[in-house]
Amino acid sequence: FIQNVGCRTLSLSAHVGFDSLPDQLVRKSIKHGFCFNILCIGETGIGKSALMSSLFNTNFDNSPSTHFLSSVRLRTQTYELQESNVLLKLTIVKTLGFGDQVNKADSYQPIVDYVDAQFEAYLEEELKVIRSLFSYHDTRIHVCLYFISPTGRSLKTIDLLTMRNLDSKVNIIPVIGKADSISKTELQEFKKKIMSELVSNGIRIYQFPTDDETVSGINTMTNGYLPFAVVGSMEKVKVGNKMVRARQYPWGIVKVENESHCDTIKLRRMLCTNMEDLREKTRAYYESYRCCRLEKLGCRDIGPENKSISLQEVVEAKRLEFCLEKEEKEKKIKQQFMQKVNKKAAVLEEAEQQANTHKQEIMSYEEQLRDLGLFSLK
Ligand code: GTP
Ligand code: MG
């Protein structure tokens, strides 16, 4: 795991005590708490709020959003949840008005801007002279649940466009919303169709990691369930002598936590067991955002001739570049100014010449009049 170059491996002759380091880290992490940020993208009324409440076994807000927004907006809510002694600061970001406009070509833009803005805020904190990253509320999106309408047909253009514009910035997990409205056989076909459309459109979705042997079995199996067919409910229904989260219909009950009814419980399990992987992959997305931004600002690690370059040298090079640019601009402005002055001078000279000609003409007329003895009559 760590490169062992130029380093000798020795065995200890007695217990030292640094094997308590992992426990120290666990204690510190528990004391500090964890943060997890979910972005729910889906059209109005697709079941975003019901799913969130079902996943976290809490009734979060359920105020329906309007259908009449002129553009897509995002609503952010942060909650503190506690399970055993683990504190989770959960931020849920939901789209408002997604898919409600006549022209949906730019629907993805406010979402992409939001994701970038969270990266930018983190970068700004990181670059501060006095920074407080430990207490900083990290709002970078760890997972995006993309709600697909249960049409049983195919993905819509808005789905493809949105996912394509986000797949390099965030972990996307596609889910089929209100999956209780599709029959069992249709659902399998629909899932296959969605996956093949994602592949043929080059859209990368989150894959549950299979390299860690403790979770590789379950994760490989779960990758085969994608996209998850989810059902959510705000209500609890009495089944036998137990209250369960379910949706009640005249013909029966759909139980949210029953794996043969829907994949909601699979999604919950996978989100929880892979939370750290999602957070790690988010850090990787952030790294590429950071790299692009810093390169645009002129920062680099390698200078000419492939030699490493210090921060001081980068700043110096940037200052020099700025001075040269400034000089170039000043030169250009001066040139433009001189061109204008010369043009004006030429115009003035021509006017002066014309005035002189007129003056001479007047003088010659006056002379002629004087010769005719009419000058005094003028
Ligand atoms: P907005 O926030 O208004 O965009 O809606 P939303 O996406 O949060 O949907 P919400 O969870 O508020 O659900 C909208 C309606 O759909 C409600 O009447 C829910 O009871 C119903 N609903 C939610 N989830 C499901 C589901 O899985 N299946 C079915 N059949 N209906 C659902
Ligand atoms: Mg809602």
Side-chain angles (χ1 to χ4, degrees):
F1 87 112
I2 296 171
Q3 268 194 347
N4 212 355
V5 181
C7 173
R8 284 167 63 201
T9 309
L10 300 177
S11 52
L12 304 174
S13 55
H15 182 247
V16 176
F18 58 78
D19 56 357
S20 71
L21 195 52
D23 302 330
Q24 293 171 37
L25 282 177
V26 170
R27 274 201 303 277
K28 193 174 166 194
S29 300
I30 289 178
K31 200 168 156 209
H32 183 243
F34 298 85
C35 99
F36 195 67
N37 307 322
I38 302 183
L39 167 64
C40 293
I41 307 178
E43 60 189 51
T44 312
I46 187 75
K48 301 181 288 295
S49 302
L51 183 72
M52 283 301 108
S53 295
S54 305
L55 282 179
F56 290 94
N57 260 328
T58 316
N59 271 11
F60 300 120
D61 99 292
N62 189 29
S63 48
S65 57
T66 163
H67 272 274
F68 305 106
L69 291 174
S70 56
S71 62
V72 174
R73 285 196 219 142
L74 291 137
R75 183 162 66 191
T76 306
Q77 278 155 323
T78 301
Y79 308 90
E80 268 191 0
L81 308 175
Q82 183 146 7
E83 189 171 50
S84 317
N85 59 347
V86 178
L87 191 76
L88 183 71
K89 196 170 188 176
L90 177 72
T91 298
I92 300 176
V93 185
K94 286 183 216 151
T95 54
L96 304 183
F98 189 76
D100 288 341
Q101 295 76 33
V102 176
N103 183 354
K104 302 177 184 71
D106 291 334
S107 294
Y108 67 87
Q109 198 57 54
I111 309 171
V112 171
D113 291 346
Y114 179 88
V115 172
D116 280 345
Q118 309 321 304
F119 284 151
E120 188 65 25
Y122 193 87
L123 181 63
E124 269 174 25
E125 185 61 37
E126 215 181 44
L127 295 178
K128 273 184 186 168
V129 176
I130 299 168
R131 55 191 189 169
S132 43
L133 283 171
F134 191 66
S135 58
Y136 174 77
H137 179 203
D138 185 0
T139 53
R140 293 173 297 178
I141 298 295
H142 299 118
V143 66
C144 160
L145 296 182
Y146 191 91
F147 286 70
I148 297 162
S149 301
T151 56
R153 293 288 179 266
S154 58
L155 289 169
K156 299 177 190 172
T157 312
I158 187 176
D159 299 330
L160 295 171
L161 258 181
T162 308
M163 284 194 263
R164 191 181 302 141
N165 279 284
L166 279 170
D167 73 351
S168 59
K169 296 172 185 289
V170 70
N171 299 304
I172 300 176
I173 299 184
V175 300
I176 300 168
K178 296 190 175 179
D180 51 333
S181 59
I182 315 183
S183 75
K184 205 170 167 182
T185 44
E186 273 180 345
L187 184 63
Q188 291 321 311
E189 285 308 308
F190 190 37
K191 279 190 175 191
K192 269 193 224 151
K193 183 96 200 291
I194 290 168
M195 289 311 279
S196 77
E197 281 186 353
L198 289 174
V199 171
S200 61
N201 282 281
I203 294 166
R204 281 166 298 149
I205 58 165
Y206 176 71
Q207 290 291 311
F208 293 100
T210 51
D211 45 1
D212 178 350
E213 60 198 39
T214 51
V215 288
S216 70
I218 179 130
N219 280 6
T220 312
M221 203 164 71
T222 316
N223 281 329
Y225 287 116
L226 285 165
F228 294 115
V230 295
V231 173
S233 175
M234 290 284 187
E235 286 164 25
K236 289 203 164 181
V237 175
K238 196 162 187 192
V239 179
N241 53 1
K242 256 174 90 182
M243 294 298 284
V244 293
R245 213 172 262 273
R247 302 191 66 81
Q248 206 164 9
Y249 295 106
W251 57 89
I253 290 174
V254 180
K255 291 185 209 154
V256 169
E257 303 202 352
N258 186 328
E259 285 199 52
S260 59
H261 289 193
C262 64
D263 298 334
T264 306
I265 208 79
K266 287 194 187 81
L267 174 62
R268 179 200 283 164
R269 193 187 309 128
M270 295 321 285
L271 279 183
C272 290
T273 51
N274 293 288
M275 230 171 220
E276 192 39 38
D277 184 66
L278 288 162
R279 284 154 49 96
E280 201 178 298
K281 298 242 162 77
T282 304
R283 287 193 283 272
Y285 287 126
Y286 167 69
E287 279 306 312
S288 46
Y289 175 86
R290 180 180 175 277
C291 182
C292 277
R293 281 290 283 134
L294 292 186
E295 270 177 6
K296 261 190 205 155
L297 291 174
C299 303
R300 58 191 67 87
D301 301 327
I302 309 254
E305 293 157 29
N306 261 358
K307 277 190 194 149
S308 69
I309 185 167
S310 73
L311 184 64
Q312 177 82 32
E313 285 167 322
V314 168
V315 172
E316 199 49 45
K318 197 72 203 162
R319 202 182 62 82
L320 203 71
E321 194 185 307
F322 176 74
C323 285
L324 287 174
E325 219 170 83
K326 201 175 126 219
E327 259 175 38
E328 199 60 38
K329 261 190 192 156
E330 273 177 6
K331 224 162 127 188
K332 220 174 181 178
I333 291 172
K334 256 186 203 162
Q335 261 177 7
Q336 281 171 349
F337 179 73
M338 284 316 290
Q339 269 174 3
K340 273 188 189 165
V341 167
N342 288 342
K343 226 175 178 177
K344 269 269 179 297
V347 172
L348 278 175
E349 203 174 313
E350 202 185 315
E352 207 177 315
Q353 268 178 11
Q354 273 180 4
N356 278 340
T357 327
H358 285 282
K359 211 168 159 186
Q360 275 171 7
E361 274 173 10
I362 290 169
M363 273 163 64
S364 98
Y365 283 139
E366 278 176 1
E367 220 162 82
Q368 282 176 27
L369 287 171
R370 209 177 292 122
D371 287 350
L372 290 169
L374 295 171
F375 188 71
S376 54
L377 295 175
K378 193 182 83 161

